[in-house]
Every structure is written in C-alpha cells, then in structure tokens.
C-alpha cells in the first residue's frame, strides 16, 4: 500500500515541537450500505489495500443543477496522514486542525482511537474549522523510537454527494488552537458582528422612518438590514437537525439573499430623481420566481444556479445603475454603484466557494463586502439627512431675513402709529381742556360779565365769581398732573389747593386715608370729574352748612372705593332737596357725574352730621 508520511526534523533540545501541514493524503472510499452506523462502529484500517494519494485540499465540484441523493447508499471517505516526530522525550499536547470540511459528518481517528464525531450537529460544520485535541495516551512512544501519529479523517456521504476537505495541520495544541480560533473569527465571529451591526443600523433607520413617514429610503434601508440578518442567521445558530427543517432553513436563508439584492437596488433607485418602475417590477418578479423554484419540494438542487442567476442579474442592474449615475445621477448613487461592483466581485468568489470550484481554505467574503455596501448606504442616508438639515437651515435663514424685514417694517409702522396716537392724544386733550374751560370757567365768566354790564352784581359777588373761576381753573390744571391712577394722590392735590380757603372760612379739615388700590381708568378726564364732585361737596359745605369740622375719608369696600365727605353743620332734608327742582339740580348733577364714572353718589343728613358718599369701581369696562 501507499504510505504518506511527514517526518519532523530532529529538534534540538531547546526547540519547540513543530507544526506540520499536509498538502496530500491517502484516500480510501469504503461502501457502507443503505444505513449509516453509529460513530466508531466503522474503523479505518491503513493496512487494507485501496488507499490512493490525493492532494489537499480535496474537493468534488458542485454542479449548477444537482439531483438529490435520495436513498442512495452511504460510503465512507477516509483521509490518512502520518505525523512523525523524532524521539524527544516528553512532548506537548498535540492537535489536528483543518480550515473546513463540507458535505457530511466528520470523524477523526488518531492511532486507531476515535477522538471526534459530530454526527449530531454536522449540519453546522460547513463553515466551522475542524479541530481535535490529541491526548497523550493516544500517542505511542518508546525510548529511541520515532513518535508516530496516524491521523485519519472520515466523511460519510451518500453516493454522488459532493464534499471538500481543507489542508490538515498537526502540531502542538496551543499553536493549532490559535490557528482554529483565527479561522473561527474569520468564518463566524466576523459575519456575526457585521450582521448585528447592520441590524442595529436598520432599526435606527426604521425608527427614523416611523417618525417621519415620508422618506421611503429609510424604510428600505431597514428592510435590507433585516433581510441581510436573516440571510446570515446560519452564522448565529446551529442548523436544524431534522432533514426537512434543515432544507427549509437553507431555502429561507438562500431566498433572502435575492431579497437583499432587490431591496438594495430599490434603495439605490431612491437616490435618483426618476423612478424606473419597470425595472423594479422585473426585479421583484424575478425574486418571487426564484424563491418559488428553489423550494425543498423541487426534485433537484438549484442552489448554485440560483446564486449564479442572482450574480448575472446584479451585473446587468448594476451596469444600468452605473450608466444612470454617470449621466445624471447623484453623488450618493455613484458611491452606491461603486460599492455594488465590489460586492458583485466578492459575491462571485463566494459562489465559486459554495460550488467547490476554488479552495475551501477561502472564507466567505460577502458578509464583509456587504458591510462596505451598508457603509455606503449609511453615507447616502446621512448625506441626504445633512442635505435636508442644510435646506432647513437655508429656509430658516431666509425666514429670519424676511422676519427681520417685517420686524423693521412693523417697528417703523409702530413709530408712525405712536406719533399719530401722540398727536391724537394731544388733540383730544386740547379739545377736552377747551370744552372744560368753555363749559366751566368760560360759562361762569360770560354770565358774570352780562350781570356786571347790567349792574346786577356788586363787588363782593364779582369777587366770588372770580374765585370760583380760579378754583375751576386749578381743578383743570390738577387733573393734568401725573398721578399714576392713584385716587389718594389726586385728592391730596385738591386738599392742598383748598386747605387755606377752608381754614379762612373757619373749617377744621380732618383727613383719613386707607390703603387703596390703583384705579386703571383714572385718566385726566375722569380725574377732573372726581375733583369737581368733591369740590362741589366742599363748596356746598362752605356756603350752606355753617359747619366747624369737615372730614374726608377714603376706604375700600369690596371691589369698590368710597370717598366720604362729612361735616357737622346744620344739615338739610335730603328728600325735600331732591324733589325741589331748583335745589335738587346740584345733587342730580353730582350723581350724573358719578354715574358717568361708573359709580354713584349717596347723601345722608341730619342736624350735626351730613355725609356725601362717592362710590367708585376699582375696575370698570
């Protein structure tokens, strides 16, 4: 028989045990029958004939369309390599490693001892490195005799099934474990990280789309990331052990690759101002058709053909997108198109790997290329988002400029309006002063002038008339003083004006003031009316009451303010005075003035005490 041996050089005493790789092996196919026995029942025998040398990695290419093995008989493919190490005393633990074994379950025998059998989860072996630790008791050592390690890898397959075995490595377990870990990182961990990263970005994009409900590109980005995560689901979980479930699982992951392709192109088309609906419908129809034709119910395996057709469609659509991007596409579309070409090249590499037409030492590159494509997606989305922000900022700047112009116009109009209002107020105040002087002092002067010309007024009467005119003029002037709507300040001015006159008449003035609120309606016109009411009450006391004391009290009663003018004079009959047309005219005038202010005047009188109460509202319409 053939003997395939790799002999390690005699290491020096301080040299480490070397790691050896095997680029060829002895191969034997042993028929088993319709039923596959349990692991370890069938043992390899290197002394039997039928062994032939094959190169490693060993592959049997997969056709584009393959028939299912059905109930074909099982056969065992044995691969034998021998690791020989010169006697060095105690050697470190050894291990065997291979980048990939595809096609069926794997058994590893070392020196006739079964070390590994993954019969229960062999469906997940397609992308995981082969690693088996070789214990010390499985290695036969004798003083002065070479250490021989016979490693035999068995792959049970049904007749006609394709498979592959990568180059085998044997050496110290620590170094071999490091090689297997690096391969695991490349084959499994890397795709897991990229697919989860893309899924998180997709969830963020979906949330952004949900908040706006306008940009379909964000929804497509989320759908692409979800479809890609489904495509890479076999990197995250062990494949189902049931044959039916296993077939449907692979159909779902392979069909999702077509949806990833279609959704990617639909997303890319959103970055062009024109919609190519016919192309989009053809892509969707193609995906639905391939998904239906590759279901497990089909009697043939169309996996390689399916991915090949995806690649062909991708080439044509990406070429069309490149033409659109170069002629009148956006910058985002050009970036997307460039990354799609990279993805197509690496996707073709993966098709060749899955069809076993290149060395199984290679890793599937599409997960990493897709990360590049999703990076371009993210760049395009962020660029569109930044463009939207810039557009909003431009609109805000324009609105701010227009607002500034309108504000300047309003300020100018407000200045003009204030000037008009000021002129109007001056005009109204001038008219009020003219009316008050005409109706009050002017009327009194004209009447007095007529009486003097007729000789009906003596000198004391003329002096009295002139004194009343001066008092009225002072009232008009006092009403113009800035009192800030304060009734107390207003009446204090009147007290100052009339104080000496009251003292000259022998009247003692008593002043009592409570804390009063401001009266918002107390403008100069209203102030003049209040002054005239109080002055009229004091004038009546001077003329008719023969009083010695006068008391003015200001107080708050609920939502009203009261001004009480009380004297200790002779008093009068309020009812008779009110009914008398001549005598009641003065009282009615006082009440009319008070009602014009929103208040009222009431009188109470008896010998020794007469009170006039002026009631004014704090707030009035």
């Amino acid at each position: 028989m053939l003997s395939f041996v790799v002999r390690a050089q005699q290491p020096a005493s301080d040299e480490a045990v070397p790691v050896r790789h095997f680029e060829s092996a002895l191969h034997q196919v042993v028929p088993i029958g319709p039923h596959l026995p349990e692991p370890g029942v069938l043992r390899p025998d290197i002394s039997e004939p039928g062994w032939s040398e094959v190169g490693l990695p060993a592959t049997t290419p997969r056709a584009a369309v393959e028939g299912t093995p059905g109930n074909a008989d099982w056969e065992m493919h044995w691969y034998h390599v021998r690791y020989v190490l010169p006697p060095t005393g105690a050697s470190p633990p050894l291990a065997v490693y291979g980048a990939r074994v595809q096609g069926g379950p794997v058994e590893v025998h070392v020196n006739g001892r079964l070390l590994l059998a993954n019969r229960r989860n062999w469906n997940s072996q397609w992308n995981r490195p082969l690693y088996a630790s070789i214990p010390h008791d499985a290695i036969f050592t004798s003083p002065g005799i070479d250490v021989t390690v016979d490693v035999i890898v068995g792959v049970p397959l049904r007749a006609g099934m394709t498979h592959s075995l990568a180059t085998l490595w044997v050496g110290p377990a620590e170094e071999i474990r490091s090689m297997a870990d690096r391969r695991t990182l490349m084959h499994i961990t890397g795709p897991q990280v990229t697919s989860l990263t893309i899924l998180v970005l997709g969830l963020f994009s979906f949330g952004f789309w949900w908040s706006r409900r306008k940009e379909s590109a964000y929804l497509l980005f989320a759908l692409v990331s979800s479809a890609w995560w489904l495509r890479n689901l076999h990197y995250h979980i062990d494949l189902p052990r049931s044959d039916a479930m296993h077939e449907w699982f692979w159909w779902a992951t392979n069909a999702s690759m077509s949806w990833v392709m279609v959704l990617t192109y639909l997303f890319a088309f959103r970055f062009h101002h024109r919609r190519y609906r016919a192309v989009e419908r053809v892509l969707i129809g193609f995906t639905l058709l391939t998904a239906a034709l590759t279901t497990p119910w089909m009697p043939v395996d169309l996996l390689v053909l399916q991915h090949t057709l995806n690649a062909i469609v991708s080439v044509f659509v990406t070429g069309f997108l490149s033409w659109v991007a170069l002629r009148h596409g956006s910058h985002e579309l050009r970036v997307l198109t460039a990354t799609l070409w990279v993805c197509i090249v690496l996707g073709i590499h993966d098709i060749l790997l899955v069809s076993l037409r290149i060395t199984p030492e290679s890793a599937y590159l599409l997960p990493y290329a897709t990360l590049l494509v999703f990076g371009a997606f993210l760049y395009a989305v962020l660029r569109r988002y930044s463009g939207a922000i810039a557009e909003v900022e431009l609109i805000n700047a324009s609105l701010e400029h227009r607002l500034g112009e309108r504000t300047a116009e309003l300020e100018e109009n407000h200045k003009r309006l204030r000037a008009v209002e000021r002129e109007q107020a001056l005009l109204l105040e001038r008219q009020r002063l003219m009316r008050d002087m005409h109706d009050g002092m002017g009327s009194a002067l004209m009447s007095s002038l007529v009486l003097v010309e007729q000789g009906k007024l003596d000198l004391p009467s003329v002096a009295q008339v002139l004194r009343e005119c001066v008092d009225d003029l002072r009232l008009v002037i006092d009403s113009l003083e800035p009192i800030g709507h304060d009734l107390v300040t207003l009446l204090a001015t009147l007290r100052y004006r009339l104080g000496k006159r009251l003292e000259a008449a022998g009247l003692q003035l008593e002043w009592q003031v409570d804390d009063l609120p401001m009266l918002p309606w107390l403008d100069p016109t209203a102030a003049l009316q209040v002054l005239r009411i109080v002055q009229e009450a004091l004038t009546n006391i001077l003329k008719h009451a023969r009083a010695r004391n006068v008391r003015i009290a200001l107080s708050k009663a609920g939502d009203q303010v009261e001004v009480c003018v009380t004297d200790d004079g002779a008093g009068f009959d309020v009812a008779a005075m009110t009914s008398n047309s001549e005598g009641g005219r003065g009282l009615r005038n006082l009440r009319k003035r008070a009602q014009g202010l929103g208040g009222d005047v009431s009188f109470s009188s008896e010998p020794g005490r007469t009170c006039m109460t002026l009631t004014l509202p704090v707030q009035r319409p």
Side-chain angles (χ1 to χ4, degrees):
M1 63 168 284
L2 295 174
S3 176
F4 179 71
V5 178
V6 172
R7 178 182 297 273
Q9 298 294 327
Q10 174 69 37
S13 59
D14 58 348
E15 288 183 354
V17 176
V19 175
R20 298 303 180 193
H21 70 281
F22 297 84
E23 296 181 352
S24 61
L26 297 178
H27 177 236
Q28 184 187 52
V29 180
V30 178
I32 297 177
H35 302 289
L36 182 63
E38 291 296 321
V41 174
L42 186 64
R43 298 253 180 190
D45 188 352
I46 59 177
S47 63
E48 291 183 355
W51 293 86
S52 60
E53 187 175 351
V54 296
L56 293 180
T59 60
T60 53
R62 188 173 186 172
V65 179
E66 285 191 336
T68 57
N71 295 324
D73 288 347
W74 289 91
E75 55 188 19
M76 178 66 78
H77 290 253
W78 297 113
Y79 292 90
H80 170 229
V81 296
R82 175 172 291 173
Y83 178 80
V84 179
L85 187 66
T88 59
S91 62
L94 302 178
V96 58
Y97 153 78
R100 180 182 283 111
V101 180
Q102 292 176 282
V106 180
E107 297 180 10
V108 177
H109 299 257
V110 175
N111 291 341
R113 180 176 175 179
L114 178 64
L115 298 183
L116 172 68
N118 64 346
R119 188 73 58 83
R120 293 180 60 82
N121 62 344
W122 71 270
N123 290 333
S124 301
Q125 183 66 46
W126 65 277
N127 199 38
R128 297 181 181 177
L130 171 67
Y131 176 83
S133 179
I134 303 174
H136 280 291
D137 57 3
I139 304 174
F140 306 123
T141 59
S142 297
I145 302 177
D146 292 346
V147 178
T148 302
V149 181
D150 287 314
V151 179
I152 299 178
V153 177
V155 183
L157 305 167
R158 289 191 181 273
M161 290 179 63
T162 59
H163 72 285
S164 68
L165 174 65
T167 301
L168 296 177
W169 296 73
V170 181
E174 183 177 354
E175 297 182 49
I176 295 296
R177 179 78 262 181
S178 178
M179 297 172 63
D181 289 343
R182 289 195 297 271
R183 182 64 66 163
T184 301
L185 177 65
M186 183 187 303
H187 284 191
I188 299 176
T189 308
Q192 286 177 344
V193 172
T194 58
S195 62
L196 289 176
T197 302
I198 291 168
L199 181 62
V200 170
L201 293 176
L203 293 175
F204 174 78
S205 180
F206 179 79
F208 192 80
W209 170 82
W210 184 266
S211 63
R212 297 188 64 181
R213 298 291 187 93
K214 294 179 180 179
E215 292 286 347
S216 59
Y218 297 106
L219 177 60
L220 288 172
F221 185 92
L223 293 177
V224 172
S225 65
S226 300
W228 181 246
W229 181 80
L230 177 61
R231 164 61 186 166
N232 292 331
L233 191 57
H234 48 271
Y235 289 106
H236 299 272
I237 63 174
D238 289 334
L239 302 187
R241 297 174 184 175
S242 168
D243 290 341
M245 292 296 296
H246 178 265
E247 291 177 357
W248 280 105
F249 179 86
W250 274 118
W251 171 82
T253 56
N254 289 321
S256 62
M257 187 65 225
S258 300
W259 283 110
V260 170
M261 177 189 71
V262 171
L263 292 171
T264 299
Y265 288 121
L266 294 180
F267 176 84
F269 280 131
R270 294 304 183 275
F271 292 91
H272 184 54
H273 64 276
R274 179 182 172 186
R275 293 285 301 277
Y276 297 94
R277 299 187 182 277
V279 177
E280 295 177 2
R281 293 192 187 99
V282 170
L283 286 173
I284 295 175
F286 167 77
T287 303
L288 293 174
L289 180 61
T290 55
L293 293 179
T294 55
T295 59
W297 293 324
M298 299 300 293
V300 292
D301 184 0
L302 301 175
L303 176 63
V304 176
L305 178 62
Q306 178 186 8
H307 291 315
T308 302
L309 291 177
N310 286 341
I312 294 173
V313 171
S314 297
V315 168
F316 279 102
V317 178
T318 306
F320 175 72
L321 272 176
S322 301
W323 174 78
V324 172
L326 292 176
R327 292 199 59 180
H328 34 252
S330 62
H331 180 73
E332 296 91 337
L333 186 58
R334 294 192 183 104
V335 173
L336 284 172
T337 304
T339 55
L340 287 174
W341 280 117
V342 175
C343 201
I344 288 174
V345 172
L346 299 183
I348 292 174
H349 166 273
D350 288 357
I351 293 175
L352 296 176
L353 179 58
V354 77
S355 62
L356 304 179
R357 297 187 181 275
I358 60 174
T359 173
E361 306 281 350
S362 299
Y364 289 100
L365 301 179
L366 197 56
Y368 300 99
T370 308
L371 185 62
L372 177 64
V373 174
F374 272 86
F377 283 7
L378 187 61
Y379 166 77
V381 170
L382 290 178
R383 185 177 173 89
R384 171 168 287 193
Y385 182 71
S386 301
I389 293 178
E391 183 177 355
V392 170
E393 290 177 350
L394 182 62
I395 294 174
N396 288 339
S398 175
L399 291 175
E400 185 176 355
H401 178 70
R402 293 170 59 186
L403 180 61
E405 293 180 348
R406 296 296 181 271
T407 302
E409 292 178 3
L410 288 174
E411 289 179 354
E412 185 65 26
N413 292 335
H414 188 58
K415 290 179 181 179
R416 290 197 294 266
L417 182 59
R418 285 202 302 267
V420 172
E421 289 178 347
R422 189 179 301 110
E423 293 178 0
Q424 183 71 16
L426 291 175
L427 177 61
L428 293 175
E429 192 65 19
R430 188 180 298 114
Q431 291 176 351
R432 184 185 70 83
L433 290 174
M434 292 174 63
R435 183 173 60 252
D436 290 340
M437 295 178 67
H438 178 271
D439 294 343
M441 184 176 62
S443 177
L445 288 175
M446 289 299 297
S447 300
S448 300
L449 179 61
V450 172
L451 293 175
V452 169
E453 289 177 347
Q454 295 176 356
K456 296 180 178 181
L457 283 180
D458 53 10
L459 184 60
S461 298
V462 172
Q464 179 66 25
V465 170
L466 292 177
R467 187 179 296 110
E468 291 178 355
C469 290
V470 171
D471 290 341
D472 192 74
L473 179 60
R474 287 175 175 175
L475 287 181
V476 174
I477 294 173
D478 290 343
S479 68
L480 297 178
E481 290 291 331
I483 60 173
H485 309 289
D486 188 4
L487 181 62
V488 176
T489 303
L490 177 66
L491 295 182
T493 303
L494 178 63
R495 176 188 179 187
Y496 172 76
R497 295 289 189 189
L498 298 179
K500 293 181 179 181
R501 183 179 174 186
L502 294 175
E503 290 179 2
L507 286 175
Q508 183 68 31
L509 179 60
E510 180 183 351
W511 185 265
Q512 180 181 346
V513 179
D514 293 343
D515 187 16
L516 299 182
M518 297 293 110
L519 305 181
W521 50 267
L522 193 60
D523 56 9
T525 302
L528 180 59
Q529 299 302 320
V530 173
L531 290 174
R532 280 180 170 164
I533 293 172
V534 177
Q535 184 189 30
E536 182 70 19
L538 293 174
T539 301
N540 290 335
I541 293 173
L542 287 171
K543 288 182 178 181
H544 310 293
R546 299 188 303 278
R548 291 291 181 265
N549 297 288
V550 178
R551 182 171 176 268
I552 300 178
L554 284 73
S555 61
K556 184 177 183 299
D559 57 351
Q560 294 179 330
V561 173
E562 292 183 350
V563 181
C564 296
V565 181
T566 307
D567 67 87
D568 58 353
F572 64 94
D573 188 350
V574 176
M577 185 65 69
T578 305
S579 62
N580 189 311
S581 59
E582 292 295 331
R585 183 181 304 168
L587 301 183
R588 287 193 296 272
N589 287 339
L590 291 180
R591 181 170 285 112
K592 184 176 181 181
R593 289 179 187 273
Q595 291 174 349
L597 298 175
D600 198 3
V601 170
S602 61
F603 301 93
S604 64
S605 181
E606 60 185 15
R609 187 181 184 279
T610 300
C611 178
M612 182 211 73
T613 303
L614 171 62
T615 304
L616 299 173
V618 176
Q619 299 284 345
R620 75 175 191 184

